Amino acid sequence: MEQELMRIGVSLPESLLNRFDGIIEKRGYSSRSEGIRDAIRNYIIHYEWMSDVKGDRIGIISMVYSHHQRGLVDSLTNIQHEFVGTIQSTLHIHLDKDNCLEIVTLRGEGQVVREAAEKMMALKGVKHVKLTTTSVGTEL
Ligand code: NI
């Protein structure tokens, strides 16, 4: 059944929109709306996948952030201490004058791994973050 389409208004930085438009043109989308619908579907699928992470899991979080963002480095440190039993190691790389890459490896109950990742993802000033998980191998 064809669903009724809802119209929404979205405010976003021009540079972000230009990059998005560049990608949807390259990928051959018929319209910006179709590209946005696809991006929202992927966002939902990713969130639902994250909600389903269960059991003994290895998690790898990679995040890029500006270390100038007020309070971000402190908040990140606090979260890492809060999950000290789950976090196995962190690797910090200074990418340039402004940006840092942090790679965090975790092991624990999937829901705890996800909770730690979500807390880090929600920090203001984080530009990009990705969580991947894998099994510890015992059930394979
Ligand atoms: Ni750094």
Side-chain angles (χ1 to χ4, degrees):
M1 191 180 77
E2 192 74 12
Q3 286 189 53
E4 189 187 346
L5 297 176
M6 310 297 288
R7 273 188 169 276
I8 56 166
V10 181
S11 304
L12 60 166
E14 191 178 4
S15 60
L16 190 62
L17 184 60
N18 287 342
R19 287 174 61 194
F20 185 76
D21 283 346
I23 291 168
I24 60 175
E25 195 185 330
K26 263 190 224 149
R27 297 193 63 196
Y29 281 98
S30 57
S31 69
R32 184 187 275 164
S33 287
E34 189 48 50
I36 290 171
R37 282 194 285 273
D38 202 24
I40 291 175
R41 279 185 211 107
N42 280 323
Y43 182 86
I44 291 169
I45 288 167
H46 181 71
Y47 185 81
E48 288 177 349
W49 167 79
M50 275 187 62
S51 303
D52 209 35
V53 173
K54 291 187 182 79
D56 191 10
R57 303 295 289 177
I58 309 284
I60 301 146
I61 298 168
S62 58
M63 55 194 298
V64 174
Y65 61 89
S66 164
H67 70 92
H68 300 298
Q69 176 73 42
R70 187 182 294 272
L72 174 60
V73 175
D74 278 350
S75 299
L76 189 57
T77 304
N78 286 340
I79 293 167
Q80 292 184 2
H81 280 273
E82 186 185 335
F83 289 91
V84 72
T86 306
I87 291 174
Q88 310 262 295
S89 72
T90 62
L91 171 66
H92 184 103
I93 297 163
H94 309 301
L95 293 176
D96 57 30
K97 201 162 66 59
D98 306 310
N99 296 297
C100 303
L101 166 67
E102 193 135 321
I103 298 168
V104 183
T105 58
L106 311 93
R107 181 178 177 176
E109 220 298 311
Q111 296 300 309
V112 181
V113 169
R114 183 174 62 85
E115 193 189 334
E118 283 184 339
K119 283 195 171 184
M120 288 184 237
M121 287 173 179
L123 293 174
K124 193 167 190 285
V126 173
K127 295 177 178 182
H128 180 74
V129 60
K130 193 163 181 85
L131 167 69
T132 54
T133 72
T134 185
S135 79
V136 297
T138 50
E139 73 272 30
L140 297 177

